[in-house]
Amino acid sequence: MPLQVSDYTWQQTKTAVFISVPLRGVCVRDADVFCTENYLKVNFSPFLFEVFLYAPIDDENSKAKIGNDAIAFTLYKKEVAMWETLSVSGVDKEMMQRIREKSILQAQERAKEAAEAKAAARREDQKYALNVMMKIEEEERKKIEDMKENERLKATKELEAWKECQRKAEEQKRIQREEKFCEQGKQTEEERNKLKHKSLTRIAASRNLAAKGRNSENIFLEKLKQDSIPAPRSVGSIKINFTPRVFPTALRESQVAEEEEWLHKQAEARRALNTDIPELSDLKEEEKNPEWLKDKGNKLFAKENYLAAINAYNLAIRLNNKIPLLYLNRAACHLKLKNLHKAIEDSSKALELLTPPVADNANGRMKAYIRRGTAFCQLELYIEGLQDYEAALKIDPSNKIVQNDAEKIRKIIQGTELKS
């Protein structure tokens, strides 16, 4: 049974009550203090201090100090007044029990309210923190999107600038060709005039000689005429072999004009050879052949020596810049080395040379579209990449690999649009 503490002391003012409860060996860890507006209890085994207060107090602002073998309470009154006694008088056991139960219920309700308020405050803090994190993530996402957009615009500008340079270069080449053709025409006309002048001079000289020797050569005239008449030609037959068609398509489906133009361009490309290169003096004859250099580049590519393969294709292009496969193969090397803008340039140049579009160059055009589309996608220009993959599918609609890659690009574009 606990020992009731009765040797306590108390003092008061109009606003506060000061109670000192002596408890030998009391400490914060072992003391159990319970206080409401009408009830105060201290349980420190085996001691028990209990008081039913004379008037209500402000239990939230009241204080207790534990130490030096005592507990000192500072209880603030709710009403400014002097108490007659510390404890209410005339309290029986039933009333004491009711006061205890009421105090416990009040304490439980207050603890529940405090817990709910704390939980509400924690929820508000979490909501605020979540809003802050969402705002930070939104700013980061916007920053990343802006960076992507800037990179896309930069790549687009570079591509447009490259196209403009290519157009100017083609225009310059066309002007140079026209000037060269004009110069050749003038030289041909001059040579023709010289030949005409020589022939006229020769005819005039022969006429003068004929006039001078006409009298002395009359006796031989008939014989000379007979000798100058050639014998009749012998009868015979000439066999003519026609070159077979390169494009095995039916006449109703054949694009004759485009096919003939493609054949003409291929023939011109084989004849176009630039030998005015200083480095050619140290090369063997076979090394001056663009086809030989192309085969060498292909072998180096198969060995994954991409830089050496690019060097071989570069020299072949300097020798003959009209062969589309050289640009197409060099684009594959640039893709392997992540030189994405150069891969786009070479693929575009190959597509320019692979015109007009016919069945014979369909495979080359499809490879050019795929390589340029791959470079665009690696630059995160997915819309441009999808356009090239769709162009490749128009050439070969049944290609499952290209279909799957195009579908992946569409999903990436849809995901980007959903995020934005």
Side-chain angles (χ1 to χ4, degrees):
M1 185 174 179
L3 300 175
Q4 291 285 344
V5 178
S6 58
D7 57 343
Y8 62 90
T9 60
W10 71 285
Q11 297 176 355
Q12 67 171 329
T13 63
K14 288 184 178 182
T15 58
V17 176
F18 305 97
I19 304 173
S20 177
V21 182
L23 294 170
R24 182 174 295 179
V26 68
C27 61
V28 176
R29 182 187 61 191
D30 298 329
D32 181 15
V33 179
F34 178 73
C35 180
T36 63
E37 61 181 11
N38 296 108
Y39 180 69
L40 175 63
K41 184 182 77 169
V42 177
N43 186 9
F44 176 63
S45 182
F47 303 104
L48 176 66
F49 172 74
E50 185 179 40
V51 60
F52 299 91
L53 298 172
Y54 180 81
I57 62 169
D58 185 2
D59 57 327
E60 291 184 357
N61 294 321
S62 297
K63 302 176 183 178
K65 183 178 180 181
I66 301 174
N68 296 326
D69 294 336
I71 301 178
F73 292 98
T74 303
L75 309 178
Y76 296 101
K77 300 176 180 179
K78 282 192 173 182
E79 296 179 358
V80 178
M82 297 297 290
W83 293 358
E84 295 179 3
T85 60
L86 178 62
S87 177
V88 65
S89 60
V91 180
D92 56 7
K93 290 184 178 180
E94 292 182 0
M95 188 174 179
M96 287 181 182
Q97 186 64 27
R98 286 197 302 271
I99 293 173
R100 290 190 190 100
E101 291 175 355
K102 183 180 178 181
S103 299
I104 292 171
L105 288 175
Q106 288 178 350
Q108 289 176 348
E109 290 177 359
R110 192 170 296 172
K112 183 179 179 181
E113 291 175 357
E116 290 177 353
K118 187 176 181 181
R122 185 167 60 251
R123 286 194 297 271
E124 289 296 325
D125 291 341
Q126 291 175 351
K127 185 177 179 181
Y128 175 75
L130 181 61
N131 290 334
V132 171
M133 289 299 296
M134 289 175 66
K135 186 176 180 181
I136 293 172
E137 290 178 357
E138 179 67 19
E139 291 176 355
E140 289 293 328
R141 186 195 64 76
K142 187 176 179 182
K143 185 177 179 182
I144 292 171
E145 290 295 329
D146 292 341
M147 290 174 62
K148 287 183 179 180
E149 182 66 18
N150 292 333
E151 287 295 326
R152 189 186 69 79
L153 291 175
K154 182 180 177 182
T156 305
K157 288 180 180 179
E158 291 178 356
L159 187 60
E160 291 296 328
W162 173 80
K163 288 181 179 179
E164 184 65 20
C165 291
Q166 292 293 108
R167 188 188 64 77
K168 289 181 179 179
E170 289 295 327
E171 184 68 19
Q172 188 67 24
K173 289 179 181 179
R174 186 184 63 78
I175 294 171
Q176 290 177 358
R177 284 198 299 270
E178 290 179 356
E179 291 177 353
K180 187 176 180 180
F181 289 153
C182 292
E183 187 67 26
Q184 289 178 352
K186 289 179 181 179
Q187 292 178 359
T188 305
E189 188 66 26
E190 289 177 359
E191 291 176 357
R192 192 177 296 163
N193 291 333
K194 288 180 181 179
L195 291 172
K196 187 176 180 181
H197 179 70
K198 288 181 179 179
S199 61
L200 290 174
T201 305
R202 194 178 297 114
I203 291 169
S206 62
R207 285 178 181 175
N208 291 333
L209 289 173
K212 290 179 181 179
R214 189 176 297 162
N215 295 328
S216 60
E217 295 177 356
N218 283 335
I219 56 177
F220 301 104
L221 186 58
E222 293 297 328
K223 186 177 180 181
L224 287 172
K225 286 182 179 179
Q226 292 176 359
D227 294 339
S228 62
I229 297 174
R233 292 182 180 177
S234 58
V235 179
S237 61
I238 299 173
K239 185 177 180 181
I240 301 174
N241 293 323
F242 293 97
T243 304
R245 281 179 59 82
V246 177
F247 305 97
T249 54
L251 184 60
R252 64 178 178 276
E253 300 174 359
S254 175
Q255 300 173 328
V256 178
E258 289 83 353
E259 293 171 351
E260 294 299 332
E261 182 182 350
W262 169 249
L263 287 175
H264 181 67
K265 284 182 67 175
Q266 291 296 97
E268 284 186 350
R270 285 192 290 270
R271 289 194 298 269
L273 187 64
N274 181 20
T275 57
D276 299 332
I277 301 174
E279 293 88 340
L280 289 179
S281 57
D282 298 332
L283 299 178
K284 300 177 182 178
E285 282 303 320
E286 70 226 14
E287 294 173 346
K288 299 178 183 179
N289 185 352
E291 291 294 329
W292 185 87
L293 290 169
K294 178 173 73 68
D295 294 338
K296 182 179 179 181
N298 294 346
K299 293 176 182 177
L300 293 169
F301 182 87
K303 294 178 181 178
E304 299 184 359
N305 191 353
Y306 304 121
L307 288 174
I310 288 175
N311 291 332
Y313 295 136
N314 287 342
L315 183 55
I317 289 171
R318 292 181 66 185
L319 287 167
N320 191 337
N321 59 0
K322 300 294 183 182
I323 301 176
L325 282 180
L326 297 176
Y327 294 96
L328 195 59
N329 293 354
R330 192 171 67 176
C333 295
H334 286 311
L335 266 181
K336 291 291 185 180
L337 296 174
K338 302 300 180 183
N339 299 330
L340 304 178
H341 289 92
K342 292 184 177 181
I344 292 172
E345 291 179 11
D346 281 349
S347 300
S348 301
K349 182 63 179 178
L351 286 170
E352 288 179 12
L353 295 175
L354 289 167
T355 54
V358 293
D360 190 52
N361 58 26
N363 187 41
R365 284 185 288 117
M366 188 177 74
K367 288 181 180 179
Y369 280 124
I370 291 173
R371 287 170 189 173
R372 192 172 69 177
T374 303
F376 276 131
C377 290
Q378 291 184 14
L379 287 171
E380 297 188 359
L381 300 175
Y382 298 111
I383 295 175
E384 291 82 352
L386 180 59
Q387 290 174 355
D388 281 343
Y389 269 86
E390 288 177 345
L393 280 174
K394 288 180 181 178
I395 298 172
D396 186 5
S398 61
N399 193 311
K400 296 294 183 183
I401 297 175
V402 181
Q403 288 177 2
N404 294 335
D405 291 343
E407 187 61 29
K408 290 178 183 177
I409 298 170
R410 288 192 193 95
K411 290 181 180 178
I412 290 173
I413 294 173
Q414 292 171 358
T416 304
E417 290 176 352
L418 288 174
K419 287 181 183 178
S420 62

